[in-house]
Every structure is written in structure tokens, then in C-alpha cells.
Amino acid sequence: MVVKFRKHALKFLQKTTGDDVSQIQSQLRQLIISIEEKSIIPFTELDIKKLKYRSNPPLQSYNLDRTSPII
């Protein structure tokens, strides 16, 4: 699965440490598994909010699966 991150998100992820990193990794893994197996986005389980589309700079893509390291 390819996940795209904005530059600001990548900078945020690079600045985070310790417990925050592990929590973000587990939530991303849970999101990937849910989308791959059930083909749904778990909005309520992961407290995901629907975002409005706006024109932003290009995204950076990363191939992620259940075994790949995240961040």
C-alpha cells in the first residue's frame, strides 16, 4: 500500500520521540490492516476526521505494508 505524506507531516514525524512514535506507528499499522482486509477506513476507532480538499504542495509517497518500518 502506498501512503502519501505532506512535508509538514514528515517534519512533525521526524521531531517526535519515544512513546509518540510508537503510538503513531501502531495507529498507522491499524489503519493499513483495516483498509487492506476490510476495505474500510475506521473513522470512529482511530478518531479520523474527514478533511476538506485544498490545493497543497505535492506529497511524498511511501510503500507500507504490515512488516515495513513506519517512520
Side-chain angles (χ1 to χ4, degrees), residues 16-23:
T16 58
T17 58
D19 294 336
D20 293 334
V21 171
S22 62
Q23 185 176 7

Side-chain angles (χ1 to χ4, degrees), residues 27 30-31 34-35 38-52:
Q27 288 183 349
Q30 184 178 355
L31 178 63
S34 179
I35 291 172
K38 301 175 187 174
S39 299
I40 61 168
I41 298 173
F43 287 102
T44 55
E45 294 172 16
L46 295 177
D47 192 25
I48 298 173
K49 297 177 177 94
K50 187 174 181 179
L51 301 175
K52 295 180 181 178

Side-chain angles (χ1 to χ4, degrees), residues 1-56:
M1 164 178 268
V2 175
V3 177
K4 297 180 178 182
F5 294 97
R6 300 213 185 271
K7 278 187 178 180
H8 296 289
L10 292 173
K11 286 181 183 179
F12 169 78
L13 292 173
Q14 290 170 350
K15 291 180 182 179
T16 58
T17 58
D19 294 336
D20 293 334
V21 171
S22 62
Q23 185 176 7
I24 292 169
Q25 288 175 337
S26 69
Q27 288 183 349
L28 284 173
R29 280 194 189 94
Q30 184 178 355
L31 178 63
I32 290 168
I33 290 168
S34 179
I35 291 172
E36 288 179 346
E37 291 181 357
K38 301 175 187 174
S39 299
I40 61 168
I41 298 173
F43 287 102
T44 55
E45 294 172 16
L46 295 177
D47 192 25
I48 298 173
K49 297 177 177 94
K50 187 174 181 179
L51 301 175
K52 295 180 181 178
Y53 175 78
R54 48 182 202 184
S55 178
N56 283 325

